[in-house]
Amino acid sequence: MSRALLSEDDIAKALTELPDWTRSGDSISRTVEAASFLGGVDLVRRVAAAAEAADHHPDIDIRWRRVTFTLSTHSAGGLTALDMALAREIDRLRAQG
């Protein structure tokens, strides 16, 4: 998958398909609340496995049951298709429970 920066139009279009994600500068983020602390940690484990397989790793902040994922392609200096693909995968994993 490309590590080329997305255009502003591409970012805006992608975010319409990712309504739970918010852009802040060169990154996007989403906070989810799990049913329990262990549920949040399990989601992080599943996201970590997907991120490792994609060779694209998010910043993750765990606060009790609240988990925040922040995505940016640091090597490219902003948002790329890798970030949007991982955001979709995080949403899919979250929906699985």
Side-chain angles (χ1 to χ4, degrees):
M1 190 162 295
S2 174
R3 294 185 189 259
L5 289 174
L6 295 174
S7 70
E8 291 297 320
D9 287 343
D10 290 339
I11 293 168
K13 181 177 184 280
L15 288 176
T16 64
E17 299 166 2
L18 297 163
D20 295 316
W21 291 83
T22 303
R23 182 179 182 188
S24 177
D26 290 336
S27 65
I28 58 173
S29 63
R30 176 181 183 190
T31 299
V32 298
E33 187 161 331
S36 67
F37 176 72
L38 288 178
V41 170
D42 182 58
L43 175 60
V44 167
R45 183 198 57 75
R46 292 183 288 129
V47 168
E52 188 69 14
D55 192 30
H56 189 59
H57 306 93
D59 293 334
I60 302 171
D61 182 52
I62 303 171
R63 309 273 174 154
W64 186 40
R65 296 184 308 154
R66 294 176 59 92
V67 181
T68 301
F69 299 97
T70 302
L71 307 175
S72 183
T73 305
H74 302 293
S75 62
L79 293 165
T80 69
L82 290 169
D83 300 302
M84 301 309 170
L86 187 54
R88 284 189 291 276
E89 181 64 9
I90 290 169
D91 285 354
R92 186 186 73 75
L93 292 168
R94 170 69 177 118
Q96 285 181 342

